[in-house]
Structure formats: C-alpha cells, structure tokens
C-alpha cells in the first residue's frame, strides 16, 4: 500500500481484559497488583497499568514504523475523540483514609440533589470537595463538577472537567464495568508517536471542535465513541484530505473536502436500526448520575424519524424481553428478521435482564406513537413478568435488577474461568429491582440480606436498610452481619400498572478506609481476590408474590421512615 491509515485507541485502556486489577484471574497477577498497591497506594496500580499500556502501544507503533519505513509507506494516525457531553462514567470511590469514604458519599448525595434542583454553585462546591478527598481518582466527582459548571454557563471549564473525568476512569481501580474511551494519555501517546516517527495525523478533537463546536456530543456519537453518520462524514473527509495530500503532494484543506462531499446516503431501515441500537447500548452501558430515560428516548425518537418500522421493532424488543428463550428462538425475534429495521446481536439484542430503563423508555415512546402498540407491549410485559400468586425470585439469575451495571465488574461480566457468586453484592449505597405489577395488586416480599464484614476486621455492622417504591419511602428494616429474613408488604395504592422500582438503601460501612484497604492488600498478598471499594450490602434472596386482599397497605415489620 501507499498509505496506512490507523484509527485506534478507544479500547486501549484495558477495559475489557481484567489482567491487572484486584479481580485478576491468576495468583501471580494478584501478587503483582498487591505490590503496586502496597508501594503506591491507590495510585500505584493506576501508574503500573499506565506503564503497561505505554510499553505495549509504544512497541506496536514502533514496529509499525519499522515496517512502513522498510517499504516506503506513509502512515497516518487518527487521534480519536470521545463523547464528552452525553456519556458519563459514574463509578464508586475506592476506600479513602479515615471517614472520608462516608463523607464522599454524603457529598455525592448532596451534589446530585443540587444538580436536580439547579443549585449549580452548591453542587460545584460539593464536587470540588469530593475531588479533594478522592485525589482525582474517581470520575464521578469530575462529572458532577462538569454538570455544575455547565449549568453556570462555564462551558470551557466544564469541557476540561469532562476530559479529567475520562482520564480518571482508570481500569485498574474500577468498581463498575466502564466503556472504551480514548483518554488524554492515549491521545497524547498517539501524537507523540507521530512526532517521533514522522507519521501524519488527523487530529479529530481539533477537527470536530472546529466543525461542530467545542463540546463533542450526540451529534457526533451514538454512544461513547461510535460515530454518527455526520461524524463519519467529517472524520473520513479529514482523513481523505490527509491521504490525498500525501499521494498528490498537494494538501487540500479538510474543510473544503468535507463541504464538497455529499452527505452519506443510508437506507432508512439500517439507519433506524443503528439509532434504536444506540438507545439499547446506552441503556446497557451508560452509568449516569440521573435518569437515563431522556437520552434513550432521544435515540428512539431519531429511529422513528428514520423509519416508521422502528415502532414495530420497539414492540419486538419488549416482547423479546418478555421471554427467557435464547436468542433467535422466539417469535418476536423471527418477526424482526423480516423487518427493514432489523436488529442483530451487535445492537444489544441479547440481554439477560428485564432491561428496565430501556423497557420504560420504549413504553413511553410507544404510548405517544401508537396506543395499539403501547397496549400490546404493556400486555406482553404483564403476561410474562407481572408478580402473580406464585413466588417470583427477583435475584437468581439477577434478571430483575434495575441497573445491572451496578455490580463489581467481574460479577457483571461473569468470566467463565471464575465461579459465579451466589449472592448480589452492592458496591453502591442503594440497589434497585424491578417489580412488574397489575393494577390494584398487593405484593408481599421476602428478603434475605446482610451487611457484610471485611476479612481481618472483627468489628461487625448493624444498621437499618431503607425501602422505597418508585421513589417514595416505605420504611426501614433492621439488618445485621448475619443473614436475616424479612417479610413485608406493598399495598396496591403504592404500585402502578407496569414497571415499579423497588430500592434498598444501605447504611454506609464504618471502618477507617486505611484499615479496609490494608485488609484488601493482605488478601491479594495471599493470592485471593479483594475489593478496593466498600460493599454496602449483600442479598441472597428477594422473592415477590401477589396477595389478593393483602390487608394493610403498609409493609409488615417495617419501621416507618
């Protein structure tokens, strides 16, 4: 070839390959991680992973340079850009010294409330305090700061905070599963390699900023890094300008190339499928501070703008989520194969959960689009998932988790080489489940839960777990360090027909952070997996059963909030 064009970097932060983390599969890797943690604290593993990435990527680029020079081939590196405006990287914070972990979560709650109320200045102050406490190691703090700054109209500072958010989303210390995004370090590595080896570059952050504005958003990206059709046109127009300039030795400004190019023509069906798939993928991988409904419904609306057949595809999704049959073996999926808006596994077709956020958004969109399709979708949901007079387990498999991302990422990914857990552990202060209910139903729930301890620390936990339904408090349960069983009822006046959100709010662990972190290092040094983040609560069983005429609307044995 005359030219090699390399468009890479978004996957380089090791987000899908857990080889250097507290959950590493091999004993040797756990020992190496322990040594980095013992020597450098929580920054030690981050620095070690960064060196690993720089060594591997640098070696690959150096090899590319040798191969290209030996044949007189020009190399163009495209420096990736990511969705800063719409994509959030909410993560729990690792154990912090003293009582700072508890304080960090208290500030987080106040900050998120401030964002919801438009109290931008107070949210900014809380976010800056969080960054001070976590040492800029948690992306959640930076996202809160970015939204607070944006609310005040300080867009340039908000954009810088978003860059810091991406930069602090380091795989080595992640709690939840993250999303691939080229970090500032990766972007800098590509630019440095181009300078060292004489490679050409297409600087997409600069190109996109000039063409679309300084804050890359959903105009450019379907999700965290995958480009929309306008994003593809501008990116590839800039690439074409660079390549033709090399071949013809007469550079033409990329702006002229882009303006002269016609818009790419995409058939309405595949275009609608891509946009509906974007909604599904955002539902599955976006960990946001607030509700995900607005961005999901945005992409559903765009799918409908592309093709009216998207409405039937939305019904197909709800029908598929209303069966436990494997992929492609049910009528809804077979029906969709004949549609112009044909979905595939690449669009998130297969999913082992009820997909509560996506299902709720689809029902909202269908209600506005077609009362018939909405009725059919809701009925399919109720027929399969409504709590009945037979006990329904909400936990095993964790099908009825409202947000499956809110688990430690090895448990979310379920790697085949490691045994699965028999319990659900929460690395977040609350855990939500989906209850599907008919009108005027009363539901009785049986919960088996505990407040887990830490290996090596003798002090035991005792506290009250708050219970909410659809955001409204019901009361609280007394939970301790040993497994305890609790039964309570939710009266029909508190439930709506369709999806209901049941939330357990856990008390914060009370151990000093340095002791908890030292206990984690000790486990790693013995070759065992360890948690760098607090485990707020643990659930072994959560069963729901419909009791007609269930008596009191208030739950039994549930202390009033």
């Amino acid at each position: 070839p005359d030219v090699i064009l390399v468009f890479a970097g978004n996957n380089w932060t090791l987000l899908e390959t857990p080889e250097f983390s507290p959950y590493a599969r091999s004993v040797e890797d756990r020992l190496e991680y322990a040594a980095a943690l013992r020597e450098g604290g929580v920054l030690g593993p981050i620095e070690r992973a960064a060196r690993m990435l720089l060594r591997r990527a640098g070696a690959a680029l150096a090899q590319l340079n040798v191969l290209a020079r030996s044949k007189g081939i020009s190399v163009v590196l495209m420096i990736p850009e990511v969705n800063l405006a719409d994509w959030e990287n909410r993560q729990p914070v690792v154990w912090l010294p003293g009582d700072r972990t508890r304080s960090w979560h208290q500030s987080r709650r106040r900050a998120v409330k401030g964002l919801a109320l438009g109290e931008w200045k107070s949210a900014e102050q809380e976010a800056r305090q969080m960054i001070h406490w976590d040492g800029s190691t948690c992306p959640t703090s930076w996202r809160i700061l970015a939204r607070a700054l944006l609310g005040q109209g300080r867009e340039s500072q908000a954009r810088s905070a978003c860059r810091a958010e991406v930069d602090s989303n380091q795989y080595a210390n992640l709690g939840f599963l993250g999303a691939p995004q080229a970090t500032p370090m990766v972007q800098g590595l590509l630019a440095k390699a181009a300078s060292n080896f004489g490679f050409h570059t297409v600087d997409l952050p600069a190109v996109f900023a000039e063409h679309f504005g300084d804050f890359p958003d959903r105009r450019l990206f379907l999700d965290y890094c995958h480009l929309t059709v306008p994003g593809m046109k501008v990116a590839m127009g800039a690439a074409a300008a660079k390549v033709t300039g090399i071949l013809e030795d007469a550079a033409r400004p990329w702006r002229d190339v882009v303006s002269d190019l016609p818009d790419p023509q995409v058939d309405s069906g595949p275009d609608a499928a891509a946009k509906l798939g974007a909604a599904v993928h955002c539902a599955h991988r976006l960990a946001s501070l607030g509700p995900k409904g607005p961005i999901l419904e945005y992409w559903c609306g765009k799918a409908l703008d592309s093709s009216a057949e998207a409405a039937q595809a939305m019904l197909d999704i709800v029908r598929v989520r209303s069966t436990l049959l494997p992929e492609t073996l049910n009528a809804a999926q077979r029906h969709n194969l004949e549609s112009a808006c044909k979905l595939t596994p690449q669009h998130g077709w297969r999913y082992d959960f009820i997909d509560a956020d996506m299902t709720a958004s689809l029902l909202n969109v269908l209600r506005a689009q077609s009362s018939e399709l909405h009725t059919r979708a809701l009925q399919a949901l109720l027929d399969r998932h409504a709590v009945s007079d037979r006990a329904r387990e909400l936990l095993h498999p964790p099908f009825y988790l409202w947000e499956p991302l809110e688990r430690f990422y090895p448990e979310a990914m379920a790697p085949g080489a490691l045994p699965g857990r028999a319990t659900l552990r929460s690395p977040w202060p609350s855990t939500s489940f989906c209850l599907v209910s008919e009108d005027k139903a009363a539901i009785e729930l049986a919960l088996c839960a505990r407040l887990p301890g830490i290996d090596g620390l003798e002090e035991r936990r005792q506290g009250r777990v708050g219970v909410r339904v659809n955001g409204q408090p019901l009361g609280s349960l007394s939970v301790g360090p040993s497994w305890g069983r609790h039964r309570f009822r939710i009266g029909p006046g508190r439930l709506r027909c369709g999806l209901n959100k049941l939330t357990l709010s856990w008390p914060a662990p009370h151990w000093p952070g340095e002791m908890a972190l030292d206990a984690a290092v000790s486990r790693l040094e013995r070759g065992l997996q360890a948690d760098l983040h607090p485990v707020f609560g643990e659930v072994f069983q959560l069963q729901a059963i419909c009791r007609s005429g269930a008596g009191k609307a208030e739950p039994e044995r549930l202390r009033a909030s």
Side-chain angles (χ1 to χ4, degrees):
D2 297 298
V3 177
I4 294 176
L5 181 73
V6 179
F7 192 2
N10 280 310
N11 292 314
W12 286 7
T13 49
L14 309 177
L15 285 170
E16 305 290 1
T17 53
E19 60 181 291
F20 195 70
S21 81
Y23 308 107
R25 299 181 185 181
S26 76
V27 171
E28 291 78 9
D29 287 338
R30 293 172 198 168
L31 295 176
E32 185 178 356
Y33 190 95
L37 194 59
R38 183 72 77 184
E39 180 180 345
V42 293
L43 292 177
I46 292 176
E47 293 172 358
R48 172 69 178 81
R51 289 196 298 271
M52 181 190 303
L53 170 59
L54 292 171
R55 183 175 65 251
R56 289 182 177 178
L61 291 165
Q63 185 178 25
L64 177 62
N65 177 56
V66 171
L67 293 171
R69 283 186 177 278
S70 69
K71 299 295 182 182
I73 302 170
S74 297
V75 176
V76 179
L77 299 182
M78 298 191 71
I79 299 176
E81 178 61 295
V82 298
N83 187 344
L84 295 179
D86 299 306
W87 198 264
E88 302 182 15
N89 295 285
R90 178 169 59 87
Q91 289 283 335
V93 72
V94 297
W95 280 108
L96 302 174
D99 197 38
R100 288 187 175 186
T101 308
R102 184 196 297 264
S103 299
W104 187 94
H105 278 286
Q106 290 171 344
S107 281
R108 178 195 58 81
R109 284 193 294 272
R110 290 192 293 267
V112 171
K113 182 179 179 181
L115 294 177
L117 297 174
E119 297 172 353
W120 311 118
K121 196 64 181 177
S122 64
E124 177 191 352
Q125 292 171 350
E126 296 289 356
R128 293 193 184 280
Q129 184 62 64
M130 293 165 65
I131 294 167
H132 170 72
W133 280 329
D134 64 39
S136 192
T137 61
C138 186
T140 305
S141 310
W142 286 109
R143 171 54 59 170
I144 293 173
L145 179 60
R147 288 184 55 179
L149 293 170
L150 198 59
Q152 299 174 62
R154 296 154 65 184
E155 186 170 302
S156 177
Q157 295 177 44
R159 186 175 64 253
S160 297
C162 288
R163 295 277 182 210
E165 174 195 15
V166 174
D167 196 35
S168 63
N169 195 39
Q170 297 294 335
Y171 178 87
N173 286 356
L174 285 192
F176 300 161
L177 181 66
Q181 288 180 297
T183 63
M185 182 183 74
V186 167
Q187 294 168 332
L189 169 62
L190 289 165
K192 183 68 173 177
S195 176
N196 289 344
F197 300 133
F199 294 162
H200 302 271
T201 61
V202 176
D203 187 350
L204 286 184
V207 169
F208 287 158
E210 183 173 337
H211 192 84
F212 290 97
D214 286 342
F215 222 132
D217 56 18
R218 66 189 71 175
R219 293 172 299 166
L220 281 161
F221 297 100
L222 294 166
D223 47 37
Y224 36 86
C225 70
H226 298 107
L227 294 168
T228 60
V229 171
M232 291 180 193
K233 176 186 175 180
V234 173
M236 293 303 105
K242 182 66 67 173
V243 170
T244 54
I246 294 170
L247 296 180
E248 299 173 2
D249 198 26
R252 187 180 177 207
W254 65 264
R255 305 159 198 80
D256 295 345
V257 175
V258 170
S259 65
D260 290 346
L261 285 171
D263 290 337
Q265 297 302 305
V266 184
D267 289 343
S268 61
D271 189 53
K275 290 168 179 172
L276 184 54
V280 175
H281 196 53
C282 288
H284 296 177
R285 293 297 294 268
L286 174 63
S288 59
L289 291 171
K292 285 192 276 193
I295 192 167
L296 305 187
E297 293 178 25
Y298 169 86
W299 284 117
C300 288
K302 290 296 182 182
L304 286 169
D305 291 343
S306 297
S307 172
E309 291 197 46
Q312 179 62 50
M314 294 177 193
L315 172 60
D316 290 336
I317 292 175
V318 179
R319 291 175 62 202
V320 167
R321 297 296 185 256
S322 299
T323 177
L324 294 179
L325 287 177
E327 179 183 8
T328 72
L329 292 183
N330 56 70
Q333 287 169 318
R334 290 199 305 271
H335 177 272
N336 182 257
L337 288 174
E338 306 301 322
S339 168
C341 185
K342 181 170 64 176
L343 301 175
T344 71
Q346 193 73 18
H347 299 106
W349 199 226
R350 185 183 180 198
Y351 197 54
D352 295 332
F353 304 90
I354 193 171
D355 214 353
D357 276 317
M358 188 65 206
T359 301
S361 295
L362 291 174
L363 289 172
N364 287 339
V365 172
L366 289 175
R367 182 187 293 110
Q369 183 72 13
S370 165
S371 59
E372 179 200 355
L373 292 180
H374 173 265
T375 299
R376 290 169 62 189
L378 180 60
Q379 194 59 53
L381 185 72
L382 294 173
D383 288 346
R384 177 61 184 86
H385 296 300
V387 178
S388 67
D389 56 1
R390 299 181 61 183
R392 183 182 299 279
E393 177 57 63
L394 304 183
L395 198 61
H396 299 299
F399 190 85
Y400 291 95
L401 269 180
W402 192 280
E403 180 51 273
L405 271 179
E406 291 184 351
R407 295 176 293 162
F408 291 107
Y409 69 82
E411 296 162 27
M413 295 176 70
L418 296 174
R421 287 188 175 271
T423 63
L424 173 70
R425 305 187 309 149
S426 177
W428 205 246
S430 63
T431 309
S432 294
F433 301 87
C434 183
L435 283 174
V436 180
S437 171
E438 300 269 11
D439 273 330
K440 300 181 180 178
I443 293 177
E444 183 178 284
L445 292 111
L447 170 70
C448 183
R450 69 173 181 175
L451 302 179
I454 293 180
D455 186 21
L457 300 182
E458 295 183 359
E459 191 174 353
R460 294 153 68 86
R461 294 175 63 194
Q462 189 80 36
R464 301 200 68 83
V465 175
V467 182
R468 301 195 307 275
V469 173
N470 298 325
Q472 299 302 312
L474 285 177
S476 62
L477 302 163
S478 178
V479 179
S482 301
W483 292 110
R485 293 185 178 275
H486 310 269
R487 288 186 176 275
F488 55 97
R489 288 194 180 104
I490 303 175
R494 294 186 177 271
L495 298 170
R496 53 190 175 221
C497 183
L499 299 169
N500 296 271
K501 183 183 256 187
L502 172 69
T503 301
L504 304 178
S505 298
W506 307 99
H510 55 267
W511 296 285
E514 60 272 16
M515 294 176 61
L517 207 57
D518 185 70
V521 176
S522 297
R523 282 185 60 86
L524 290 165
E525 289 172 337
R526 286 179 279 151
L528 304 173
Q529 292 185 353
D531 299 314
L532 301 189
H533 307 78
V535 181
F536 283 81
E538 193 169 10
V539 180
F540 177 73
Q541 183 183 61
L542 182 58
Q543 286 189 341
I545 188 169
C546 185
R547 303 289 194 191
S548 58
K552 296 180 181 179
E554 291 298 327
E556 294 178 349
R557 300 173 60 187
L558 198 64
R559 178 185 293 178
S561 297

